[in-house]
Amino acid sequence: MSRPPAPATLPPVSAVAPTGASATARRVLGLPDPVPTSEARAAARRALERVGGPVGMAVGVAPTIAFVAGDAAGGLGVAFVALGVTALVACGVRLARRESPGAAIAGLVVAGVCATVAALAGEARAFFLPTMVLPVVFVLAYVVSLLAGRPLTGLMVNRLVNGPRDWPRRPALRSVYTVSSLIGLAMAAANLVLRVVFYLADEPAVLGVIQVVATPSFAVHFALTFVVARRVATSLATSPAAATAPRTTTR
């Protein structure tokens, strides 16, 4: 799934004191000022934008939903028609949002490959065979990266949060990436096991639900990792030890 470009860093939260009648009333009553929109919330929003945001995620799962609904309503023939129409609309939406044309075409290609496999097999559940490769790849990548001492989420996120180049030797930051990678590994493994179980049970509707739910789940995991890692990286950058050394960035 493609996503619109986003700046690598986020602006700091404004420190300007609140003004207006409500602020005056709070000062008179001795009440604390409300906390402004936090940088963490802004970071989470930007992180979700990096994986497409709500619209991007909806566009990404729409062809799967259309295929499953079409199959339930009228069989494979209807499912293929619903998939084709939805995939073309999704491609148009991506282009209208000025996403990468390559990513928009890739969405059509993936839908075409999945439909071809289902047509050759003559059964709806085969539609999900090509995408079953993804959790396998992620499980292997997480395991290999953890064994190598360079957790996968660190490789993916550290540059985006402007973290230090030597992050594997920073215990606080490495811990964040290790825990996040272990969570990601558990999610990918669970995703793979559920897909295999319900594929063998010939439950295409459940497979569709698993695929749809997986997209926002991994997006939220990415966003939370982004927020926590950015806080730790910022803390390291502003520490007294870091102030006397040249700042280096990522990876």
Side-chain angles (χ1 to χ4, degrees), residues 7-180:
T9 59
L10 299 176
V13 178
S14 173
V16 177
T19 59
S22 60
T24 302
R26 284 192 298 272
R27 283 194 291 270
V28 170
L29 295 174
L31 298 175
D33 289 328
V35 178
T37 301
S38 68
E39 186 176 358
R41 184 178 300 176
R45 184 174 63 252
R46 292 297 181 89
L48 288 174
E49 287 174 1
R50 286 182 180 276
V51 291
V55 175
M57 287 187 284
V59 169
V61 301
T64 298
I65 294 174
F67 178 85
V68 171
D71 179 63
L76 271 179
V78 176
F80 290 143
V81 172
L83 173 68
V85 172
T86 308
L88 288 172
V89 172
C91 181
V93 171
R94 283 172 168 155
L95 293 175
R97 298 180 71 214
R98 298 183 179 180
E99 296 184 20
S100 166
I105 298 301
L108 287 177
V109 172
V110 171
V113 169
C114 292
T116 299
V117 173
L120 292 175
E123 53 184 8
R125 68 175 180 173
F127 176 84
F128 299 95
L129 273 178
T131 54
M132 203 176 291
V133 173
L134 280 176
V136 174
V137 171
F138 273 106
V139 166
L140 292 175
Y142 276 121
V143 170
V144 171
S145 67
L146 286 166
L147 292 176
R150 297 179 69 86
L152 182 61
T153 51
L155 299 175
M156 294 190 299
V157 173
N158 195 62
R159 180 182 295 275
L160 303 179
V161 301
N162 208 28
R165 188 184 300 273
D166 61 344
W167 62 265
R169 293 192 294 274
R170 304 293 185 100
L173 201 51
R174 180 173 175 173
S175 295
V176 170
Y177 295 143
T178 299
V179 172
S180 175

